[in-house]
Amino acid sequence: MATTSSMFMYSLTIQPPSSITQAILGQFAGTKEQQIITASGSRLTIHRPDPTQGKISTLLSQDVFGIVRTLAAFRLAGSNKDYIIIGSDSGRITIVEYLPAQNRFSRLHLETFGKSGVRRVIPGQYLAVDPKGRACLIASVEKNKLVYVLNRNAQAELTISSPLEAHKPQTLVFALVGLDVGYENPVFACLEVDYTECDQDPTGQAMEELEKSLVYYELDLGLNHVVRKWSDPVDRSATMLLQVPGGADGPSGVLVCGLDNITYRHSNQDAFRVAIPRRRGATENPERKRRIVAGVMHKMRAAFFFLLQSEDGDLFKVTIDMAEDDNGQVTGEVKRLKIKYFDTVPIASSLCILKSGFLFVASEAGNQHFYQFEKLGDDDNETEFDSDSFPADPTEAYTPVYFHPRAAENVNLVESIDSMNPQLDCKVANLTDEDAPQIYSLCGTGARSTFRTLKHGLEVNDIVDSELPGDPSAVWTTKITREDQYDAYIVLSFTNGTLVLSIGETVEEVTDTGFLSSAPTLAVQQLGEDALIQVHPKGIRHIRADRRVNEWPAPQHRSIVAATTNERQVAVALSSGEIVYFEMDTDGSLAEYDEKREMSGGVTCLSLGEVPEGRVRSQFLAVGCDDSTVRILSLDPDSTLENKSVQALTSAPSALAIMAMADSTSGGSTLYLHIGLYSGVYLRTVLDEVTGELSDTRTRFLGPRPAKLFRVSVKGQPAVLALSSRPWLGYSDPQTKGFMLTPLDYTALAWGSNFSSEQCEEGMVGIENKNLRIFSIEKLGNNLLQQSIPLTYTPRKFIRHPEQPLFYIIEADNNTLSPSTKQQLLTAQPVVNGDSVVLPPEEFGYPRGQGHWASCIHIIDPITTKSVLQQIDLTDNEATTSIAAVSFASQDDETFLVVGTGKDMVVAPRSFTAGFIYVYRFLEDGKELEFIHKTKVEQPPQALLAFQGRLLAGIGTELRIYDLGLKQLLRKCQAAVVPNVIVGLQTQGSRIIVSDVQESVVYVVYKHQENKLIPFADDVIARWTTCTTMVDYETVAGGDKFGNLWLLRCPQKASEEADEDGSGAHLIHERQYLQGAPNRLALMSHFFPQDIPTSIQKTQLVAGGRDVLVWTGFMGTLGVMVPFVSREDVDFFQTLEQHLRVEDAPLAGRDHLIYRSYYVPVKGTIDGDLCERFALLPNDKKQMIAGELDRSVREIERKISDMRTRVAY
């Protein structure tokens, strides 16, 4: 198979995965403050919780280009900084530290111990650290364990020893934890099963008698080797270990969590066991046993406690009572174990308790939650159960204990962090008629699932919105003296006058400011120490602090058409095309430069930069003329108003702004000229501070209206507010320092200005028709805004109404009681007090029931009501499996909603009793559904599609065409086209692309006159297809459940033959090739993005952008695949990618090329996420790579940023 391809794609992530597989807590910055580090897929992210505001902000997120399997924090004795150990799929142990000054992760050690990849005998799955930071143990699922001793050398640098082996063959490890033993030899505890005898026993007797053991491994620091110190059998259902504090803090040992029980174990203590309390209620099954799925231990000054979470999300507080001696002093002996219900929170993959009194819940599904502790549940009236009432022996029977769940009392939710995990389906559509489409997505599971609308933009915080007497054309704010911290006046310009408002507790009109109110204003500026300036069409008004006014009148028969000012300079353009320049004298008056400079055309806009620190003037004046040019004039005393450089534009400039901004290329700040054109295009070019040359132009289309630019400040950084058909903000990205241009989620503004007052330190003021609006921007980190509509059950698939902005969603939850069953249980038996309380399912989940399905159909309006319009519940233990909107030719092309369901389905091994196809009619423009009839079929239909005025259904292995009858659907044609189960259908013309659950895709042609479905091409590799889309008539793009994306193409000849007129006999009689279709599909490109693709579609994401493939991943990823147009670009990016693989090797030690080729060698795809790391390299490396590529650093950065901004966000 050729590795070069005739087609190349550029893979970009728009939104990284948001599902957290593990979260750890530590002082990674070396300060008192704790940070949280999370792993999501291949991303390592460090978050800073802010205890004062109860918020979490992201400091740094980095792709490690490897699967992060496990994380641990450790600190050497006596230091105040935590390091991070990463166990990944690279076959190496990685030790990383976070450098807060440079805001980056720095790799300290990378020790190889085995092959790469996730394998069962290569360590990396489990990681445990000695609490005193002396050693760590990294283990595999089977056989191998390695201990690394951590220390520091004479230079106080971290050192790592050679690995010490603690291998035991034919042993499976279930859990691993470091014991807290104070300063004695480090000990690690393990849950192990030895399967030697099971392997040799064919009868299965040994399997029945198998024991699970708790094993202690001790690292002898004196002899430098590891010994297996103690082993004891534990409950066979045990799956989890938690470390109990030791040394001076507690008894040491572990908690072993199994099915329905928690046991305290230690080598020199008795065992103590408590049962996990079960929920009590009319709808709860009293026999259902719970497991512990997550837990955390928290140490306080003289006490400690555990919070353990069951699979329902209930938190239990577990404490240990110590025995006392005769004098009432606590001994090191354990007396009893206690458990009580604490609160209910979403099911977590990790729990973290912060010292500042917060709980971070990294949810398994849905948003991450950040709670504050109100109290520790010591004084409530919940029943406490202790180990005195339960036998320590796991085989003995006991009476189960119960509790009533209730609303949270001990913790209080302070922030919910958006997470799209799991993401099950997605559509890109423009329902609001904006210039860019929105992304609609199905996320979450159970009662916490949501329908989300994603929109590209920054969140805007509206502060003031007040109506004005007329339509203003412009607005400014100004201070009165240079020393003022806040603005004093808002100046509004109307067509026939000027209005001045003072800013105080309230905003009110003032008339004694010295401003000319009878003429419109062109510019307002605070000048020098304490003067103000107003430029109007007939002159310049200079208002001194003592209210003396100096007026410079415009020459006769000429008026001022454009003006620009800064605190020491003023430049105006006259209607005759002349430019007049003023500079402030030492005595504070304005001095006019003697010569006027005539421009070749009419002047449309001007800009002066701010006066740099320690200088008396800005060096340059930018002049935009109606002959579509921008000229840079020098303001140096020796060469005033001389031409320095000129730039030709595609249309006349409507606005200019010279400003210094942070620059990722040079690492410092650079002077930029921002240009807005009448055509709605925005350009940003670098202005050389010495020569005035313009270079490195980047363009972006903002909208159809002329672009206006304003200098503002956001988060203490200079930014540019660009207004066209919608407002945009240009700013430096907080992490990469690269320039970002993002739309604001706000109404279109006509004019804007910076605004600063006591109530709003950093805001902006804008005008829109008759309204004055004051707003601020709080968050720059996230540029995708999410709006959620809650759903009832786990959403499976959804479709859009063909004409209306409505969506139809099918939802189904397994092992969940349906509403009718729930109602029967509540009304059936006489209910004991407190059992009939129905708890809100979004917090407590639905009542469980083995083999039960709860399912419904939802109509959602995401635009006007932003809510669910209708819910149709399914009965008889049916669950929805597929949905389609079909217009039937036999019914005058009326569109119907068709839904496929399955009855009594069992997911694995797959079984069911029947399948049905329901047909609904749309009423009231699709806002309601009317049931027409249902048709019984042999299997649940997994795929439905409208096809040539009829319905195409994938039922098991068969592809069928149905038409609509009066009583049921009528079968017109069928063919068995795949070996297993049809899970997806796509069509163009008479061609149908059929996806099989595990045998990739098959191309089928429908011959109308013969009424036959004939497969004519299939694939060489068995791909477990999850989603597909047709890119063009020959090509299909798809994803599989192992996390690959691929493009397949039908050979040209086979494609033409299939479409030849005639009966299709030549296709039927063509010889099969290797028990498959006559032809094979060719692989065009292949890539491993490390998330399971759940939807893929060909669409545009930005206004005027190219078509791209947008795919979504199960863990919440949003990505795009951009086709390359020219071979030259491909060569450039391929070379860049090769250099970056060497110069910026992945953090966890995985080889980038092998990682992207996990299952199949990467083909025809360039990793844009790796290319974008170029901006974060140190300057010397950038220069070196640029030299190798024979380009400048700026040119490379421009190409990388253009690849993203042209097609995506």
Side-chain angles (χ1 to χ4, degrees):
M1 199 158 56
T3 51
T4 57
S5 179
S6 58
M7 175 175 189
F8 271 85
M9 308 291 276
Y10 184 78
S11 158
L12 267 179
T13 303
I14 296 177
Q15 178 170 291
S18 48
S19 100
I20 294 178
T21 47
Q22 195 184 352
I24 56 169
L25 194 63
Q27 296 167 348
F28 302 106
T31 56
K32 281 271 166 56
E33 167 175 91
Q34 288 180 303
Q35 288 89 16
I36 299 169
I37 286 190
T38 58
S40 345
S42 63
R43 265 188 187 266
L44 210 57
T45 310
I46 180 161
H47 308 268
R48 176 179 167 263
D50 186 344
T52 53
Q53 294 184 323
K55 287 206 170 359
I56 290 192
S57 55
T58 304
L59 292 174
L60 172 66
S61 178
Q62 181 173 340
D63 201 327
V64 300
F65 300 109
I67 298 172
V68 181
R69 297 162 76 187
T70 172
L71 291 174
F74 80 98
R75 89 172 51 179
L76 295 168
S79 87
N80 61 350
K81 179 166 188 175
D82 285 328
Y83 297 98
I84 307 137
I85 304 182
I86 305 173
S88 69
D89 60 344
S90 61
R92 300 163 164 195
I93 188 167
T94 317
I95 299 185
V96 169
E97 79 171 313
Y98 171 66
L99 303 174
Q102 298 156 2
N103 192 26
R104 68 182 184 91
F105 291 119
S106 159
R107 188 166 71 201
L108 302 175
H109 287 286
L110 185 65
E111 297 292 321
T112 308
F113 52 69
K115 290 179 176 171
S116 63
V118 179
R119 302 162 189 262
R120 74 179 195 181
V121 292
I122 303 294
Q125 188 63 36
Y126 302 105
L127 180 62
V129 175
D130 170 56
K132 293 285 184 271
R134 296 166 299 173
C136 73
L137 188 151
I138 188 162
S140 60
V141 176
E142 189 181 331
K143 184 179 169 187
N144 294 337
K145 295 183 193 66
L146 297 172
V147 177
Y148 286 92
V149 181
L150 305 161
N151 217 324
R152 56 159 77 86
N153 61 13
Q155 286 80 44
E157 291 166 340
L158 175 73
T159 60
I160 185 166
S161 70
S162 309
L164 304 167
E165 298 185 351
H167 300 339
K168 186 163 188 290
Q170 300 196 321
T171 304
L172 298 174
V173 177
F174 286 82
L176 173 70
V177 70
L179 237 61
D180 189 346
V181 289
Y183 284 104
E184 292 174 17
N185 279 337
V187 175
F188 298 96
C190 226
L191 275 182
E192 291 184 354
V193 164
D194 186 335
Y195 66 82
T196 319
E197 290 172 6
C198 300
D199 250 8
Q200 274 121 38
D201 174 26
T203 61
Q205 181 68 29
M207 177 71 188
E208 295 299 317
E209 296 163 4
L210 195 65
E211 276 187 344
K212 192 173 278 187
S213 327
L214 175 67
V215 184
Y216 279 9
Y217 289 92
E218 182 180 20
L219 164 66
D220 192 322
L221 289 168
L223 299 171
N224 201 27
H225 77 126
V226 186
V227 289
R228 189 181 164 106
K229 184 183 175 188
W230 176 74
S231 170
D232 206 31
V234 292
D235 180 11
R236 191 169 159 184
S237 67
T239 52
M240 195 170 167
L241 294 176
L242 284 133
Q243 156 198 332
V244 177
D249 303 319
S252 185
V254 290
L255 287 187
V256 182
C257 304
L259 184 65
D260 206 40
N261 70 79
I262 298 163
T263 316
Y264 168 78
R265 299 301 303 263
H266 193 34
S267 53
N268 59 5
Q269 304 261 12
D270 294 338
F272 294 92
R273 181 158 169 259
V274 292
I276 300 170
R278 305 177 189 176
R279 283 189 183 180
R280 169 161 280 160
T283 55
E284 291 293 338
N285 173 7
E287 296 305 309
R288 186 162 74 86
K289 299 178 176 183
R290 313 302 204 262
R291 281 186 186 278
I292 296 298
V293 293
V296 59
M297 182 267 295
H298 187 61
K299 266 196 282 202
M300 296 176 296
R301 272 202 179 92
F304 62 88
F305 66 89
F306 295 86
L307 282 186
L308 305 182
Q309 188 181 40
S310 75
E311 68 218 50
D312 293 330
D314 300 321
L315 286 177
F316 299 101
K317 182 179 176 183
V318 175
T319 48
I320 294 176
D321 277 2
M322 308 300 288
E324 295 175 354
D325 60 11
D326 305 339
N327 309 332
Q329 290 294 314
V330 175
T331 62
E333 196 182 331
V334 175
K335 192 161 138 201
R336 65 171 68 85
L337 189 64
K338 293 178 172 173
I339 185 166
K340 70 193 268 193
Y341 173 60
F342 187 73
D343 265 341
T344 301
V345 299
I347 300 172
S349 55
S350 289
L351 297 165
C352 298
I353 298 179
L354 281 74
K355 285 182 180 152
S356 49
F358 287 91
L359 169 71
F360 176 68
V361 177
S363 315
E364 222 173 63
N367 291 358
Q368 324 298 343
H369 281 187
F370 194 48
Y371 293 91
Q372 184 164 16
F373 282 101
E374 299 292 327
K375 55 187 204 299
L376 288 176
D378 299 326
D379 47 1
D380 56 13
N381 50 13
E382 284 292 332
T383 322
E384 191 162 48
F385 308 103
D386 60 33
S387 54
D388 299 350
S389 43
F390 298 99
D393 178 13
T395 55
E396 282 185 47
Y398 57 87
T399 316
V401 290
Y402 296 93
F403 72 96
H404 282 299
R406 51 155 170 78
E409 286 176 5
N410 301 307
V411 292
N412 171 29
L413 181 65
V414 286
E415 193 185 15
S416 172
I417 303 144
D418 277 337
S419 163
M420 311 241 320
N421 155 59
Q423 185 170 231
L424 295 143
D425 201 355
C426 175
K427 303 255 187 285
V428 181
N430 191 354
L431 301 186
T432 52
D433 286 336
E434 291 172 20
D435 37 13
Q438 305 85 47
I439 299 171
Y440 298 95
S441 168
L442 301 181
C443 309
T445 59
R448 295 184 66 235
S449 51
T450 51
F451 174 89
R452 300 204 181 197
T453 304
L454 273 81
K455 205 166 142 189
H456 181 219
L458 290 172
E459 199 173 350
V460 174
N461 185 9
D462 220 339
I463 299 164
V464 174
D465 180 2
S466 63
E467 205 164 315
L468 294 165
D471 275 10
S473 55
V475 61
W476 293 269
T477 54
T478 178
K479 305 171 179 179
I480 295 181
T481 72
R482 180 191 280 184
E483 305 308 319
D484 287 358
Q485 190 185 348
Y486 300 123
D487 292 327
Y489 296 141
I490 296 178
V491 182
L492 291 156
S493 167
F494 296 86
T495 46
N496 55 357
T498 295
L499 179 69
V500 182
L501 307 174
S502 76
I503 304 167
E505 286 297 311
T506 59
V507 173
E508 53 208 22
E509 187 178 342
V510 282
T511 50
D512 57 345
T513 52
F515 280 100
L516 180 69
S517 60
S518 60
T521 302
L522 295 170
V524 174
Q525 174 75 38
Q526 189 274 319
L527 193 77
E529 292 303 321
D530 52 11
L532 293 171
I533 252 187
Q534 176 193 16
V535 182
H536 53 91
K538 285 294 166 211
I540 300 172
R541 200 173 171 92
H542 184 190
I543 306 157
R544 295 297 186 90
D546 52 11
R547 297 295 158 91
R548 283 183 312 165
V549 173
N550 292 352
E551 181 89 39
W552 177 87
Q556 260 183 326
H557 309 306
R558 280 172 271 182
S559 58
I560 298 174
V561 291
T564 176
T565 59
N566 62 27
E567 60 215 41
R568 301 186 60 91
Q569 297 156 289
V570 179
V572 298
L574 304 177
S575 49
S576 56
E578 292 167 305
I579 286 176
V580 191
Y581 169 64
F582 303 84
E583 203 166 300
M584 201 175 77
D585 267 356
T586 43
D587 63 351
S589 64
L590 273 182
E592 180 186 346
Y593 176 68
D594 15 345
E595 291 178 33
K596 295 184 176 65
R597 165 77 196 260
E598 258 196 65
M599 303 308 287
S600 54
V603 177
T604 56
C605 47
L606 298 168
S607 175
L608 280 163
E610 297 277 319
V611 179
E613 199 72 33
R615 298 271 186 91
V616 292
R617 66 175 68 80
S618 164
Q619 293 280 58
F620 303 112
L621 169 68
V623 183
C625 299
D626 55 13
D627 58 358
S628 301
T629 58
V630 169
R631 295 169 199 277
I632 302 295
L633 306 184
S634 165
L635 298 178
D636 222 29
D638 311 334
S639 58
T640 310
L641 298 184
E642 277 186 18
N643 214 1
K644 280 285 190 185
S645 65
V646 63
Q647 166 125 8
L649 306 165
T650 52
S651 110
S654 53
L656 298 170
I658 295 177
M659 54 197 287
M661 288 179 86
D663 179 18
S664 61
T665 312
S666 63
S669 98
T670 302
L671 207 56
Y672 290 107
L673 170 64
H674 303 269
I675 308 169
L677 304 185
Y678 275 103
S679 57
V681 172
Y682 158 88
L683 297 93
R684 183 184 74 129
T685 70
V686 176
L687 178 59
D688 191 297
E689 297 179 34
V690 182
T691 62
E693 289 290 325
L694 294 171
S695 60
D696 185 35
T697 307
R698 305 198 183 176
T699 60
R700 189 83 180 264
F701 176 62
L702 303 184
R705 298 206 334 224
K708 297 196 184 74
L709 306 174
F710 305 95
R711 191 184 288 127
V712 292
S713 115
V714 177
K715 297 268 177 242
Q717 299 280 346
V720 57
L721 178 69
L723 306 178
S724 174
S725 53
R726 63 188 201 181
W728 296 68
L729 186 77
Y731 57 97
S732 302
D733 183 78
Q735 272 186 36
T736 62
K737 298 289 176 278
F739 182 73
M740 305 276 284
L741 190 65
T742 310
L744 302 181
D745 184 28
Y746 209 51
T747 54
L749 299 173
W751 199 274
S753 176
N754 218 26
F755 177 82
S756 175
S757 73
E758 281 183 56
Q759 290 79 20
C760 167
E761 298 263 333
E762 252 192 353
M764 295 168 210
V765 56
I767 50 175
E768 166 244 346
N769 297 337
K770 285 192 173 183
N771 292 4
L772 177 76
R773 292 173 174 262
I774 299 174
F775 57 94
S776 66
I777 292 163
E778 301 297 329
K779 288 186 191 158
L780 289 180
N782 179 19
N783 65 357
L784 272 179
L785 292 171
Q786 300 188 10
Q787 284 180 335
S788 302
I789 300 171
L791 301 175
T792 309
Y793 305 115
T794 307
R796 302 293 170 174
K797 289 172 186 165
F798 74 131
I799 57 149
R800 187 192 154 185
H801 189 284
E803 287 100 34
Q804 306 298 328
L806 298 172
F807 285 105
Y808 301 87
I809 305 174
I810 52 170
E811 300 163 34
D813 265 329
N814 196 4
N815 296 339
T816 302
L817 298 184
S818 67
S820 51
T821 317
K822 213 158 45 181
Q823 204 50 48
Q824 277 171 0
L825 286 168
L826 285 168
T827 51
Q829 63 254 51
V831 176
V832 192
N833 185 22
D835 280 3
S836 61
V837 179
V838 177
L839 296 160
E842 53 275 9
E843 284 170 42
F844 296 90
Y846 291 108
R848 306 281 182 88
Q850 193 67 34
H852 287 264
W853 283 88
S855 181
C856 70
I857 305 167
H858 267 159
I859 307 178
I860 283 224
D861 175 358
I863 308 301
T864 44
T865 63
K866 296 191 163 79
S867 65
V868 175
L869 300 179
Q870 187 186 4
Q871 175 171 340
I872 300 172
D873 282 303
L874 295 186
T875 51
D876 292 343
N877 206 23
E878 279 182 51
T880 50
T881 55
S882 52
I883 185 167
V886 184
S887 69
F888 285 100
S890 58
Q891 305 288 326
D892 302 332
D893 289 338
E894 186 187 342
T895 305
F896 293 85
L897 186 74
V898 183
V899 177
T901 69
K903 185 170 160 62
D904 305 328
M905 291 193 291
V906 179
V907 180
R910 186 168 181 260
S911 73
F912 42 83
T913 52
F916 295 97
I917 301 176
Y918 285 71
V919 180
Y920 293 92
R921 178 177 262 125
F922 292 122
L923 300 178
E924 305 208 7
D925 286 341
K927 292 193 176 71
E928 277 184 29
L929 292 177
E930 177 192 27
F931 174 67
I932 293 180
H933 57 61
K934 69 175 185 179
T935 308
K936 188 172 179 179
V937 290
E938 299 82 9
Q939 294 196 22
Q942 297 287 347
L944 300 171
L945 186 69
F947 177 72
Q948 297 183 355
R950 296 196 279 187
L951 169 69
L952 195 61
I955 297 167
T957 60
E958 289 188 344
L959 185 61
R960 293 187 185 166
I961 296 179
Y962 282 100
D963 209 338
L964 190 61
L966 284 175
K967 293 281 173 66
Q968 62 168 27
L969 290 168
L970 310 172
R971 194 186 319 182
K972 296 292 183 189
C973 173
Q974 73 173 36
V977 292
V978 297
N980 303 298
V981 179
I982 294 175
V983 292
L985 295 169
Q986 304 287 331
T987 180
Q988 278 186 26
S990 298
R991 179 167 299 177
I992 305 160
I993 312 284
V994 183
S995 329
D996 182 71
V997 66
Q998 67 182 57
E999 293 282 346
S1000 192
V1001 297
V1002 179
Y1003 281 43
V1004 176
V1005 62
Y1006 175 62
K1007 292 294 182 188
H1008 198 270
Q1009 60 210 55
E1010 290 270 301
N1011 193 23
K1012 273 208 170 90
L1013 291 161
I1014 307 166
F1016 66 91
D1018 59 14
D1019 196 5
V1020 275
I1021 296 179
R1023 304 178 202 278
W1024 291 69
T1025 324
T1026 54
C1027 60
T1028 53
T1029 185
M1030 287 185 81
V1031 181
D1032 58 39
Y1033 192 58
E1034 260 88 41
T1035 318
V1036 66
D1040 64 42
K1041 77 168 196 182
F1042 295 101
N1044 300 300
L1045 284 169
W1046 29 264
L1047 260 106
L1048 302 170
R1049 184 168 285 169
C1050 179
Q1052 187 73 32
K1053 184 163 173 278
S1055 173
E1056 284 165 7
E1057 277 178 8
D1059 288 343
E1060 277 173 16
D1061 290 343
S1063 62
H1066 60 291
L1067 289 176
I1068 298 168
H1069 301 304
E1070 199 164 352
R1071 205 166 107 233
Q1072 289 193 343
Y1073 179 64
L1074 301 176
Q1075 283 102 45
N1079 302 293
R1080 290 289 175 266
L1081 304 173
L1083 180 69
M1084 300 308 292
S1085 77
H1086 199 285
F1087 188 67
F1088 175 74
Q1090 215 257 292
D1091 194 354
I1092 301 169
T1094 52
S1095 81
I1096 185 164
Q1097 133 183 39
K1098 181 177 145 188
T1099 180
Q1100 294 174 356
L1101 276 183
V1102 294
R1106 293 218 309 273
D1107 270 354
V1108 291
L1109 287 177
V1110 179
W1111 67 275
T1112 57
F1114 184 72
M1115 292 162 68
T1117 317
L1118 278 177
V1120 292
M1121 303 287 271
V1122 189
F1124 278 105
V1125 178
S1126 72
R1127 185 75 212 191
E1128 183 190 351
D1129 280 352
V1130 174
D1131 295 341
F1132 167 81
F1133 278 102
Q1134 266 188 323
T1135 323
L1136 176 65
E1137 192 181 32
Q1138 280 162 9
H1139 282 297
L1140 282 166
R1141 280 177 184 152
V1142 179
E1143 296 306 325
D1144 184 40
L1147 189 70
R1150 185 84 166 107
D1151 182 297
H1152 176 266
L1153 181 62
I1154 297 175
Y1155 166 68
R1156 288 299 188 202
S1157 312
Y1158 229 105
Y1159 295 95
V1160 173
V1162 64
K1163 177 177 179 181
T1165 312
I1166 284 161
D1167 187 0
D1169 296 339
L1170 179 67
C1171 295
E1172 288 189 345
R1173 286 197 56 78
F1174 178 80
L1176 301 169
L1177 291 179
N1179 260 344
D1180 51 340
K1181 282 194 176 173
K1182 282 189 193 173
Q1183 297 290 357
M1184 195 208 82
I1185 293 175
E1188 293 278 336
L1189 288 167
D1190 203 15
R1191 312 265 177 134
S1192 71
V1193 174
R1194 278 198 189 285
E1195 205 178 336
I1196 294 176
E1197 294 202 331
R1198 187 181 83 222
K1199 280 184 94 76
I1200 294 170
S1201 92
D1202 276 358
M1203 280 307 287
R1204 181 181 277 273
T1205 55
R1206 278 183 191 157
V1207 294
Y1209 320 135

